[in-house]
PDB file of all heavy atoms in Angstrom:
ATOM      1  N   GLY A   1     114.121 106.497  78.895  1.00 94.00           N
ATOM      2  CA  GLY A   1     114.897 107.686  78.961  1.00 94.00           C
ATOM      3  C   GLY A   1     114.631 108.531  80.141  1.00 94.00           C
ATOM      4  O   GLY A   1     115.339 109.532  80.271  1.00 94.00           O
ATOM      5  N   ASN A   2     113.751 108.146  81.062  1.00 95.00           N
ATOM      6  CA  ASN A   2     113.379 109.001  82.161  1.00 95.00           C
ATOM      7  C   ASN A   2     113.784 108.253  83.426  1.00 95.00           C
ATOM      8  O   ASN A   2     113.950 107.079  83.434  1.00 95.00           O
ATOM      9  CB  ASN A   2     111.908 109.269  82.257  1.00 95.00           C
ATOM     10  CG  ASN A   2     111.479 110.262  81.116  1.00 95.00           C
ATOM     11  OD1 ASN A   2     112.250 110.791  80.362  1.00 95.00           O
ATOM     12  ND2 ASN A   2     110.200 110.505  81.141  1.00 95.00           N
ATOM     13  N   GLU A   3     113.933 109.064  84.481  1.00 97.00           N
ATOM     14  CA  GLU A   3     114.177 108.473  85.772  1.00 97.00           C
ATOM     15  C   GLU A   3     112.869 107.891  86.363  1.00 97.00           C
ATOM     16  O   GLU A   3     111.742 108.227  86.012  1.00 97.00           O
ATOM     17  CB  GLU A   3     114.730 109.463  86.776  1.00 97.00           C
ATOM     18  CG  GLU A   3     116.127 109.930  86.341  1.00 97.00           C
ATOM     19  CD  GLU A   3     116.753 110.994  87.474  1.00 97.00           C
ATOM     20  OE1 GLU A   3     115.998 111.182  88.396  1.00 97.00           O
ATOM     21  OE2 GLU A   3     117.974 111.166  87.323  1.00 97.00           O
ATOM     22  N   ARG A   4     112.948 106.908  87.336  1.00 97.00           N
ATOM     23  CA  ARG A   4     111.780 106.289  87.980  1.00 97.00           C
ATOM     24  C   ARG A   4     111.243 107.462  88.827  1.00 97.00           C
ATOM     25  O   ARG A   4     111.977 108.163  89.594  1.00 97.00           O
ATOM     26  CB  ARG A   4     112.255 105.096  88.883  1.00 97.00           C
ATOM     27  CG  ARG A   4     111.012 104.282  89.266  1.00 97.00           C
ATOM     28  CD  ARG A   4     111.420 102.976  89.858  1.00 97.00           C
ATOM     29  NE  ARG A   4     112.108 102.110  88.841  1.00 97.00           N
ATOM     30  CZ  ARG A   4     112.409 100.885  89.037  1.00 97.00           C
ATOM     31  NH1 ARG A   4     112.168 100.251  90.205  1.00 97.00           N
ATOM     32  NH2 ARG A   4     112.956 100.065  88.110  1.00 97.00           N
ATOM     33  N   GLU A   5     109.899 107.580  88.775  1.00 98.00           N
ATOM     34  CA  GLU A   5     109.289 108.668  89.488  1.00 98.00           C
ATOM     35  C   GLU A   5     108.090 108.159  90.342  1.00 98.00           C
ATOM     36  O   GLU A   5     107.458 107.105  90.065  1.00 98.00           O
ATOM     37  CB  GLU A   5     108.848 109.789  88.572  1.00 98.00           C
ATOM     38  CG  GLU A   5     107.688 109.312  87.653  1.00 98.00           C
ATOM     39  CD  GLU A   5     107.154 110.421  86.719  1.00 98.00           C
ATOM     40  OE1 GLU A   5     107.645 111.566  86.884  1.00 98.00           O
ATOM     41  OE2 GLU A   5     106.153 110.189  85.942  1.00 98.00           O
ATOM     42  N   LEU A   6     107.848 108.847  91.371  1.00 98.00           N
ATOM     43  CA  LEU A   6     106.661 108.502  92.304  1.00 98.00           C
ATOM     44  C   LEU A   6     105.331 108.696  91.576  1.00 98.00           C
ATOM     45  O   LEU A   6     105.145 109.768  90.928  1.00 98.00           O
ATOM     46  CB  LEU A   6     106.721 109.558  93.504  1.00 98.00           C
ATOM     47  CG  LEU A   6     105.493 109.471  94.389  1.00 98.00           C
ATOM     48  CD1 LEU A   6     105.334 108.182  95.160  1.00 98.00           C
ATOM     49  CD2 LEU A   6     105.408 110.657  95.346  1.00 98.00           C
ATOM     50  N   VAL A   7     104.488 107.755  91.700  1.00 98.00           N
ATOM     51  CA  VAL A   7     103.176 107.765  91.307  1.00 98.00           C
ATOM     52  C   VAL A   7     102.335 108.055  92.554  1.00 98.00           C
ATOM     53  O   VAL A   7     101.555 109.079  92.558  1.00 98.00           O
ATOM     54  CB  VAL A   7     102.709 106.559  90.337  1.00 98.00           C
ATOM     55  CG1 VAL A   7     101.233 106.724  90.033  1.00 98.00           C
ATOM     56  CG2 VAL A   7     103.603 106.357  89.149  1.00 98.00           C
ATOM     57  N   ALA A   8     102.269 107.100  93.461  1.00 98.00           N
ATOM     58  CA  ALA A   8     101.487 107.226  94.650  1.00 98.00           C
ATOM     59  C   ALA A   8     101.959 106.186  95.603  1.00 98.00           C
ATOM     60  O   ALA A   8     102.252 105.044  95.246  1.00 98.00           O
ATOM     61  CB  ALA A   8      99.967 107.014  94.372  1.00 98.00           C
ATOM     62  N   MET A   9     101.907 106.583  96.892  1.00 97.00           N
ATOM     63  CA  MET A   9     102.186 105.717  97.937  1.00 97.00           C
ATOM     64  C   MET A   9     101.261 105.948  99.047  1.00 97.00           C
ATOM     65  O   MET A   9     100.611 107.006  99.173  1.00 97.00           O
ATOM     66  CB  MET A   9     103.672 105.955  98.528  1.00 97.00           C
ATOM     67  CG  MET A   9     104.815 105.741  97.580  1.00 97.00           C
ATOM     68  SD  MET A   9     105.036 103.978  97.180  1.00 97.00           S
ATOM     69  CE  MET A   9     105.784 103.439  98.654  1.00 97.00           C
ATOM     70  N   MET A  10     101.046 104.787  99.824  1.00 96.00           N
ATOM     71  CA  MET A  10     100.102 104.808 100.984  1.00 96.00           C
ATOM     72  C   MET A  10     100.752 104.131 102.189  1.00 96.00           C
ATOM     73  O   MET A  10     101.092 103.037 102.035  1.00 96.00           O
ATOM     74  CB  MET A  10      98.700 104.298 100.586  1.00 96.00           C
ATOM     75  CG  MET A  10      97.651 104.282 101.723  1.00 96.00           C
ATOM     76  SD  MET A  10      96.136 103.462 101.309  1.00 96.00           S
ATOM     77  CE  MET A  10      95.310 104.820 100.451  1.00 96.00           C
ATOM     78  N   ASN A  11     100.583 104.723 103.372  1.00 92.00           N
ATOM     79  CA  ASN A  11     101.308 104.001 104.478  1.00 92.00           C
ATOM     80  C   ASN A  11     100.028 103.310 105.266  1.00 92.00           C
ATOM     81  O   ASN A  11      98.902 103.355 104.886  1.00 92.00           O
ATOM     82  CB  ASN A  11     101.961 104.900 105.337  1.00 92.00           C
ATOM     83  CG  ASN A  11     101.211 105.975 106.067  1.00 92.00           C
ATOM     84  OD1 ASN A  11      99.895 105.884 106.170  1.00 92.00           O
ATOM     85  ND2 ASN A  11     101.712 106.975 106.657  1.00 92.00           N
ATOM     86  N   SER A  12     100.392 102.658 106.289  1.00 88.00           N
ATOM     87  CA  SER A  12      99.415 101.774 107.067  1.00 88.00           C
ATOM     88  C   SER A  12      98.336 102.681 107.683  1.00 88.00           C
ATOM     89  O   SER A  12      97.295 102.200 108.079  1.00 88.00           O
ATOM     90  CB  SER A  12     100.123 100.925 108.191  1.00 88.00           C
ATOM     91  OG  SER A  12     100.927 101.847 108.966  1.00 88.00           O
ATOM     92  N   ASP A  13      98.557 103.967 107.939  1.00 90.00           N
ATOM     93  CA  ASP A  13      97.491 104.954 108.497  1.00 90.00           C
ATOM     94  C   ASP A  13      96.696 105.636 107.271  1.00 90.00           C
ATOM     95  O   ASP A  13      95.903 106.424 107.528  1.00 90.00           O
ATOM     96  CB  ASP A  13      98.142 106.040 109.216  1.00 90.00           C
ATOM     97  CG  ASP A  13      98.841 105.474 110.487  1.00 90.00           C
ATOM     98  OD1 ASP A  13      98.302 104.582 111.052  1.00 90.00           O
ATOM     99  OD2 ASP A  13      99.844 106.009 110.944  1.00 90.00           O
ATOM    100  N   GLU A  14      96.925 105.012 106.038  1.00 91.00           N
ATOM    101  CA  GLU A  14      96.249 105.464 104.835  1.00 91.00           C
ATOM    102  C   GLU A  14      96.567 106.847 104.496  1.00 91.00           C
ATOM    103  O   GLU A  14      95.796 107.572 103.812  1.00 91.00           O
ATOM    104  CB  GLU A  14      94.713 105.191 104.891  1.00 91.00           C
ATOM    105  CG  GLU A  14      94.399 103.720 105.018  1.00 91.00           C
ATOM    106  CD  GLU A  14      92.894 103.436 104.958  1.00 91.00           C
ATOM    107  OE1 GLU A  14      92.178 104.380 104.822  1.00 91.00           O
ATOM    108  OE2 GLU A  14      92.607 102.316 104.912  1.00 91.00           O
ATOM    109  N   VAL A  15      97.671 107.381 104.895  1.00 94.00           N
ATOM    110  CA  VAL A  15      98.187 108.618 104.427  1.00 94.00           C
ATOM    111  C   VAL A  15      98.808 108.486 103.047  1.00 94.00           C
ATOM    112  O   VAL A  15      99.582 107.538 102.847  1.00 94.00           O
ATOM    113  CB  VAL A  15      99.206 109.218 105.448  1.00 94.00           C
ATOM    114  CG1 VAL A  15      99.819 110.580 104.868  1.00 94.00           C
ATOM    115  CG2 VAL A  15      98.618 109.496 106.813  1.00 94.00           C
ATOM    116  N   THR A  16      98.456 109.304 102.162  1.00 96.00           N
ATOM    117  CA  THR A  16      98.855 109.113 100.762  1.00 96.00           C
ATOM    118  C   THR A  16      99.795 110.240 100.318  1.00 96.00           C
ATOM    119  O   THR A  16      99.878 111.372 100.854  1.00 96.00           O
ATOM    120  CB  THR A  16      97.614 109.141  99.825  1.00 96.00           C
ATOM    121  OG1 THR A  16      96.925 110.367  99.921  1.00 96.00           O
ATOM    122  CG2 THR A  16      96.696 107.867 100.075  1.00 96.00           C
ATOM    123  N   ASP A  17     100.582 109.932  99.328  1.00 97.00           N
ATOM    124  CA  ASP A  17     101.494 110.847  98.688  1.00 97.00           C
ATOM    125  C   ASP A  17     101.433 110.630  97.168  1.00 97.00           C
ATOM    126  O   ASP A  17     101.622 109.474  96.735  1.00 97.00           O
ATOM    127  CB  ASP A  17     102.888 110.674  99.098  1.00 97.00           C
ATOM    128  CG  ASP A  17     103.837 111.696  98.660  1.00 97.00           C
ATOM    129  OD1 ASP A  17     103.402 112.786  98.120  1.00 97.00           O
ATOM    130  OD2 ASP A  17     105.096 111.410  98.672  1.00 97.00           O
ATOM    131  N   TYR A  18     101.075 111.655  96.358  1.00 98.00           N
ATOM    132  CA  TYR A  18     100.846 111.531  94.915  1.00 98.00           C
ATOM    133  C   TYR A  18     102.001 112.301  94.161  1.00 98.00           C
ATOM    134  O   TYR A  18     102.244 113.438  94.582  1.00 98.00           O
ATOM    135  CB  TYR A  18      99.508 111.910  94.455  1.00 98.00           C
ATOM    136  CG  TYR A  18      98.396 110.991  94.834  1.00 98.00           C
ATOM    137  CD1 TYR A  18      97.637 111.196  95.985  1.00 98.00           C
ATOM    138  CD2 TYR A  18      98.044 110.033  93.988  1.00 98.00           C
ATOM    139  CE1 TYR A  18      96.695 110.428  96.338  1.00 98.00           C
ATOM    140  CE2 TYR A  18      96.994 109.115  94.366  1.00 98.00           C
ATOM    141  CZ  TYR A  18      96.250 109.236  95.541  1.00 98.00           C
ATOM    142  OH  TYR A  18      95.227 108.505  95.890  1.00 98.00           O
ATOM    143  N   GLY A  19     102.342 111.833  93.029  1.00 97.00           N
ATOM    144  CA  GLY A  19     103.117 112.592  92.149  1.00 97.00           C
ATOM    145  C   GLY A  19     102.344 113.791  91.518  1.00 97.00           C
ATOM    146  O   GLY A  19     101.121 113.606  91.267  1.00 97.00           O
ATOM    147  N   ALA A  20     102.944 114.824  91.258  1.00 97.00           N
ATOM    148  CA  ALA A  20     102.116 116.028  90.843  1.00 97.00           C
ATOM    149  C   ALA A  20     101.388 115.759  89.483  1.00 97.00           C
ATOM    150  O   ALA A  20     100.331 116.247  89.367  1.00 97.00           O
ATOM    151  CB  ALA A  20     103.153 117.143  90.662  1.00 97.00           C
ATOM    152  N   SER A  21     102.081 115.034  88.667  1.00 96.00           N
ATOM    153  CA  SER A  21     101.459 114.832  87.346  1.00 96.00           C
ATOM    154  C   SER A  21     100.192 113.915  87.288  1.00 96.00           C
ATOM    155  O   SER A  21      99.459 113.890  86.355  1.00 96.00           O
ATOM    156  CB  SER A  21     102.428 114.227  86.357  1.00 96.00           C
ATOM    157  OG  SER A  21     102.947 113.023  86.807  1.00 96.00           O
ATOM    158  N   VAL A  22      99.984 113.149  88.516  1.00 98.00           N
ATOM    159  CA  VAL A  22      98.781 112.294  88.517  1.00 98.00           C
ATOM    160  C   VAL A  22      97.695 112.715  89.451  1.00 98.00           C
ATOM    161  O   VAL A  22      96.635 112.139  89.522  1.00 98.00           O
ATOM    162  CB  VAL A  22      99.282 110.907  88.853  1.00 98.00           C
ATOM    163  CG1 VAL A  22     100.387 110.416  87.819  1.00 98.00           C
ATOM    164  CG2 VAL A  22      99.720 110.750  90.295  1.00 98.00           C
ATOM    165  N   LYS A  23      97.935 113.737  90.302  1.00 97.00           N
ATOM    166  CA  LYS A  23      96.958 114.228  91.173  1.00 97.00           C
ATOM    167  C   LYS A  23      95.658 114.573  90.570  1.00 97.00           C
ATOM    168  O   LYS A  23      95.676 115.247  89.546  1.00 97.00           O
ATOM    169  CB  LYS A  23      97.421 115.450  91.993  1.00 97.00           C
ATOM    170  CG  LYS A  23      98.569 115.106  93.062  1.00 97.00           C
ATOM    171  CD  LYS A  23      98.892 116.378  93.973  1.00 97.00           C
ATOM    172  CE  LYS A  23      99.968 115.952  95.036  1.00 97.00           C
ATOM    173  NZ  LYS A  23     100.415 117.141  95.622  1.00 97.00           N
ATOM    174  N   GLY A  24      94.625 114.003  91.101  1.00 97.00           N
ATOM    175  CA  GLY A  24      93.263 114.340  90.626  1.00 97.00           C
ATOM    176  C   GLY A  24      92.884 113.259  89.546  1.00 97.00           C
ATOM    177  O   GLY A  24      91.608 113.328  89.194  1.00 97.00           O
ATOM    178  N   ARG A  25      93.658 112.495  89.077  1.00 98.00           N
ATOM    179  CA  ARG A  25      93.375 111.540  88.102  1.00 98.00           C
ATOM    180  C   ARG A  25      93.579 110.033  88.659  1.00 98.00           C
ATOM    181  O   ARG A  25      92.922 109.192  88.185  1.00 98.00           O
ATOM    182  CB  ARG A  25      94.252 111.666  86.832  1.00 98.00           C
ATOM    183  CG  ARG A  25      94.105 113.092  86.151  1.00 98.00           C
ATOM    184  CD  ARG A  25      94.810 113.011  84.802  1.00 98.00           C
ATOM    185  NE  ARG A  25      96.334 112.938  84.964  1.00 98.00           N
ATOM    186  CZ  ARG A  25      96.983 111.949  84.392  1.00 98.00           C
ATOM    187  NH1 ARG A  25      96.458 111.060  83.608  1.00 98.00           N
ATOM    188  NH2 ARG A  25      98.378 111.848  84.631  1.00 98.00           N
ATOM    189  N   PHE A  26      94.551 109.791  89.379  1.00 98.00           N
ATOM    190  CA  PHE A  26      94.903 108.528  89.923  1.00 98.00           C
ATOM    191  C   PHE A  26      94.465 108.407  91.391  1.00 98.00           C
ATOM    192  O   PHE A  26      94.605 109.368  92.144  1.00 98.00           O
ATOM    193  CB  PHE A  26      96.371 108.247  89.809  1.00 98.00           C
ATOM    194  CG  PHE A  26      96.912 108.055  88.467  1.00 98.00           C
ATOM    195  CD1 PHE A  26      96.084 108.397  87.264  1.00 98.00           C
ATOM    196  CD2 PHE A  26      98.206 107.628  88.184  1.00 98.00           C
ATOM    197  CE1 PHE A  26      96.543 108.265  86.041  1.00 98.00           C
ATOM    198  CE2 PHE A  26      98.669 107.434  86.934  1.00 98.00           C
ATOM    199  CZ  PHE A  26      97.850 107.759  85.873  1.00 98.00           C
ATOM    200  N   THR A  27      94.066 107.224  91.833  1.00 98.00           N
ATOM    201  CA  THR A  27      93.703 107.061  93.272  1.00 98.00           C
ATOM    202  C   THR A  27      94.324 105.728  93.699  1.00 98.00           C
ATOM    203  O   THR A  27      94.155 104.650  93.142  1.00 98.00           O
ATOM    204  CB  THR A  27      92.179 106.939  93.317  1.00 98.00           C
ATOM    205  OG1 THR A  27      91.651 108.160  92.894  1.00 98.00           O
ATOM    206  CG2 THR A  27      91.808 106.711  94.845  1.00 98.00           C
ATOM    207  N   ILE A  28      95.037 105.847  94.859  1.00 98.00           N
ATOM    208  CA  ILE A  28      95.680 104.594  95.365  1.00 98.00           C
ATOM    209  C   ILE A  28      94.709 104.163  96.640  1.00 98.00           C
ATOM    210  O   ILE A  28      94.106 104.871  97.375  1.00 98.00           O
ATOM    211  CB  ILE A  28      96.960 104.982  95.889  1.00 98.00           C
ATOM    212  CG1 ILE A  28      97.726 103.622  96.376  1.00 98.00           C
ATOM    213  CG2 ILE A  28      97.015 105.925  97.050  1.00 98.00           C
ATOM    214  CD1 ILE A  28      99.137 103.698  96.649  1.00 98.00           C
ATOM    215  N   SER A  29      94.553 102.850  96.805  1.00 97.00           N
ATOM    216  CA  SER A  29      93.864 102.282  97.788  1.00 97.00           C
ATOM    217  C   SER A  29      94.436 100.934  98.236  1.00 97.00           C
ATOM    218  O   SER A  29      95.446 100.428  97.445  1.00 97.00           O
ATOM    219  CB  SER A  29      92.326 102.081  97.480  1.00 97.00           C
ATOM    220  OG  SER A  29      92.279 101.104  96.352  1.00 97.00           O
ATOM    221  N   ARG A  30      94.182 100.432  99.303  1.00 94.00           N
ATOM    222  CA  ARG A  30      94.795  99.192  99.881  1.00 94.00           C
ATOM    223  C   ARG A  30      93.807  98.326 100.610  1.00 94.00           C
ATOM    224  O   ARG A  30      92.933  98.848 101.184  1.00 94.00           O
ATOM    225  CB  ARG A  30      96.093  99.441 100.636  1.00 94.00           C
ATOM    226  CG  ARG A  30      95.916 100.111 101.877  1.00 94.00           C
ATOM    227  CD  ARG A  30      97.301 100.570 102.545  1.00 94.00           C
ATOM    228  NE  ARG A  30      98.005  99.345 102.958  1.00 94.00           N
ATOM    229  CZ  ARG A  30      99.253  99.464 103.398  1.00 94.00           C
ATOM    230  NH1 ARG A  30      99.964 100.480 103.336  1.00 94.00           N
ATOM    231  NH2 ARG A  30      99.801  98.343 103.968  1.00 94.00           N
ATOM    232  N   ASP A  31      94.070  97.001 100.528  1.00 92.00           N
ATOM    233  CA  ASP A  31      93.288  95.969 101.359  1.00 92.00           C
ATOM    234  C   ASP A  31      94.402  95.473 102.260  1.00 92.00           C
ATOM    235  O   ASP A  31      95.098  94.546 101.768  1.00 92.00           O
ATOM    236  CB  ASP A  31      92.686  95.020 100.342  1.00 92.00           C
ATOM    237  CG  ASP A  31      91.887  93.955 101.232  1.00 92.00           C
ATOM    238  OD1 ASP A  31      92.190  93.813 102.353  1.00 92.00           O
ATOM    239  OD2 ASP A  31      90.985  93.342 100.527  1.00 92.00           O
TER     240      ASP A  31
END
């Protein structure tokens, strides 16, 4: 019943963007 929403994204420079509802609880990382 909800729209798709941002959780977290990371670019190749490791700059991150988090959705407001998950900040401080979720952590994105990449290999």
Side-chain angles (χ1 to χ4, degrees):
N2 291 356
E3 294 186 354
R4 195 169 292 190
E5 64 174 1
L6 169 71
V7 177
M9 295 292 286
M10 176 182 280
N11 68 13
S12 56
D13 293 323
E14 300 191 351
V15 175
T16 58
D17 186 16
Y18 288 94
S21 62
V22 306
K23 281 183 180 178
R25 299 187 298 122
F26 292 9
T27 303
I28 189 170
S29 60
R30 62 188 287 172
D31 183 336

